[in-house]
Amino acid sequence: MHSRTIRRWSVIHTWSSLVCTLFLLMLALTGLPLIFHHELEHLLGEAPQLRELPADSPRLDLQQLVEAAERARPHEVVQYLGWEADEPNGVVTIMAATAGTEPNSSHTFMLDARSGEAVAMPAANGGFMMLMLRLHVDMFAGLPGKLLLALMGILFVLAIISGVVLYAPFMRRLPFAAVRRDKSTRLRWLDLHNLIGIVTLTWALVVGVTGVISATADLLIEAWRNDTLAAMVAPYRNAPPLTQRAPASDLLQIASQAAPGMQADFIAFPGTRFSSAHHYAVFMVGSTHLTAHLWTPVLIDAQTLAVTAVGTRPWYMDALAMSQPLHFGDYGGRPMQILWAVLDVLTIIVLGSGLYLWWVRRRAPRAALRDEVVA
Amino acid sequence: MRQATFALPTVLALLGAAGLFAALLGDGWWDALAWLGLGLPAVLGVWPLWPRRG
């Protein structure tokens, strides 16, 4: 590689990483506890604990659960009901002052599907895990915060790509995984930076790109509302406001008839951002490993309970849905979580060593630097 | 030797990618492939940081 080309890539690598490093360090540090959020919630006693009931206890229907929710929080309305694989007797319930209230002002708890008892989910509403999550997602700055982090993610990807380009001239004369321990501290950390950087490459790229996609979730959901959802509810554009809502009791049966072979993941109530003002939207997922992440909405007229549309999925919503497991690493069992944590810590070391290398390099004379790239 | 420089990193990158997507497709052997694909980079990254004598 021409030395001028190397210098150009070096400038790209230096500045793309310098600008994003502090944000990336924050993301890597807050992401670490988030990998184990389920386990930590149990440890902190913040996981919802349902009462022991006989295995054959009858279950309430959905409308009875909605009424139980409204009794638990009398001045609020139900926005979403959702299901979790590891608590089959519980229904995650999200309520807020109005259906359209923004997500961060909502309250999340669990309803016992057998008794209708409301069980607190403290981690979903505040505390340490929520602090980590909010710092990780938007730094408490809403959409501008998410978009800033998306931009930092793009710079991170640029830093990775330019790092790979620079790997060639730096490692040309060295065997793979060589670390020159007997030379200067700087050379030792340069070799470590290159080695750890190159082996964690795929993982860092995937987590970086899926992070950028997740950070733009608000925009993707808005796009979905404007094209797919708007087309599905077009006949209701001039309909009078909904006054009488049919009971939610049979929504699951209706939805599974409309989307055979799929299961309900969550129900969006009329007026929320995942539904229209006139519909219950039941979001169904497939039963294979892969399709379990992909949503197909079934729109049900909230007055007549007629199925008015079974949604097709635009590609960008699939991309958003697939980004979740690939970003959080929660899809391959406990060993996967541990590997995720190790790779996260290794990324912190790459970021830290990069900062160190930049710092000592600034002060070193140019001639000494030429030794780094073995000509 | 440019090719040799990137030979092993390419193998590792492809195994890592296979691992990342394998666990999306199923359990059992699919998970095992994922642990191998991401385990290799993890071990290779941690190994040189391990304090050693001499």
Side-chain angles (χ1 to χ4, degrees):
Chain A
M1 205 182 296
H2 212 280
S3 76
R4 205 169 53 210
T5 324
I6 296 177
R7 206 155 44 236
R8 275 193 195 136
W9 278 105
S10 174
V11 169
I12 295 177
H13 188 64
T14 304
W15 286 102
S16 58
S17 10
L18 271 182
V19 173
C20 73
T21 287
L22 282 183
F23 290 93
L24 257 300
L25 276 173
M26 184 275 287
L27 290 172
L29 286 171
T30 53
L32 205 49
L34 290 176
I35 299 170
F36 299 102
H37 76 99
H38 231 84
E39 291 76 1
L40 286 170
E41 280 160 23
H42 278 280
L43 219 64
L44 297 169
E46 293 193 335
Q49 205 71 52
L50 296 189
R51 209 187 291 279
E52 287 284 348
L53 285 176
D56 57 349
S57 306
R59 300 166 75 88
L60 301 176
D61 76 28
L62 283 184
Q63 184 57 29
Q64 289 171 314
L65 286 177
V66 169
E67 284 157 16
E70 286 164 351
R71 277 196 300 278
R73 297 180 73 81
H75 301 294
E76 296 189 349
V77 297
V78 175
Q79 290 181 302
Y80 305 98
L81 294 180
W83 286 267
E84 275 182 7
D86 50 338
E87 190 44 272
N89 289 319
V91 178
V92 178
T93 309
I94 302 179
M95 293 183 81
T98 68
T101 299
E102 59 103 18
N104 288 322
S105 306
S106 301
H107 181 84
T108 304
F109 60 101
M110 187 170 268
L111 282 170
D112 190 315
R114 305 154 301 179
S115 62
E117 186 184 356
V119 183
M121 292 177 70
N125 301 296
F128 175 72
M129 294 311 293
M130 189 49 90
L131 174 68
M132 292 296 108
L133 184 67
R134 287 299 304 275
L135 282 174
H136 194 86
V137 171
D138 71 348
M139 303 180 295
F140 293 92
L143 185 60
K146 290 181 194 177
L147 295 181
L148 178 67
L149 290 180
L151 182 66
M152 295 303 130
I154 291 168
L155 287 175
F156 180 54
V157 171
L158 190 61
I160 294 173
I161 293 169
S162 53
V164 173
V165 174
L166 290 173
Y167 183 80
F170 278 91
M171 294 299 291
R172 194 164 39 183
R173 289 282 183 82
L174 296 168
F176 175 71
V179 178
R180 289 167 286 180
R181 288 165 194 284
D182 45 348
K183 301 271 174 61
S184 64
T185 313
R186 193 188 66 206
L187 274 184
R188 178 165 166 252
W189 275 107
L190 176 72
D191 290 346
L192 284 170
H193 182 81
N194 286 337
L195 170 58
I196 301 173
I198 202 79
V199 297
T200 56
L201 164 74
T202 317
W203 178 84
L205 259 184
V206 167
V207 172
V209 170
T210 53
V212 171
I213 296 174
S214 301
T216 58
D218 286 352
L219 302 182
L220 297 179
I221 294 167
E222 204 47 45
W224 172 78
R225 283 186 63 81
N226 288 336
D227 65 60
T228 312
L229 184 66
M232 287 196 288
V233 302
Y236 290 79
R237 191 171 298 154
N238 299 315
L242 186 72
T243 49
Q244 202 65 43
R245 207 163 78 189
S249 307
D250 299 324
L251 289 180
L252 293 187
Q253 290 91 309
I254 297 169
S256 58
Q257 268 162 28
M262 303 183 96
Q263 294 124 40
D265 188 49
F266 71 95
I267 299 177
F269 279 65
T272 59
R273 72 170 173 163
F274 283 95
S275 187
S276 86
H278 297 90
H279 290 85
Y280 289 112
V282 184
F283 280 75
M284 307 293 279
V285 290
S287 44
T288 68
H289 254 80
L290 197 60
T291 57
H293 297 285
L294 304 176
W295 287 309
T296 299
V298 175
L299 290 185
I300 299 170
D301 185 304
Q303 222 164 354
T304 66
L305 292 183
V307 174
T308 65
V310 179
T312 49
R313 300 184 316 250
W315 64 270
Y316 53 84
M317 289 303 272
D318 279 358
L320 177 61
M322 292 314 299
S323 290
Q324 303 294 316
L326 286 171
H327 190 74
F328 288 109
D330 57 355
Y331 62 108
R334 180 63 49 86
M336 196 77 149
Q337 283 174 297
I338 293 169
L339 289 171
W340 226 258
V342 172
L343 291 165
D344 185 289
V345 172
L346 287 175
T347 302
I348 294 176
I349 292 169
V350 174
L351 293 168
S353 58
L355 214 51
Y356 161 80
L357 289 168
W358 168 74
W359 183 252
V360 291
R361 202 183 158 153
R362 282 174 69 237
R363 304 186 307 171
R366 272 205 166 270
L369 296 173
R370 224 163 291 146
D371 307 338
E372 283 180 0
V373 182
V374 191
Chain B
M1 287 287 283
R2 188 79 48 81
Q3 291 97 326
T5 308
F6 276 118
L8 280 171
T10 307
V11 172
L12 284 170
L14 291 177
L15 262 175
L20 280 166
F21 291 99
L24 281 173
L25 299 175
D27 285 332
W29 285 106
W30 292 109
D31 276 343
L33 177 56
W35 302 335
L36 175 74
L38 291 182
L40 273 175
V43 169
L44 284 170
V46 171
W47 183 252
L49 296 168
W50 219 253
R52 58 198 71 197
R53 273 178 278 178

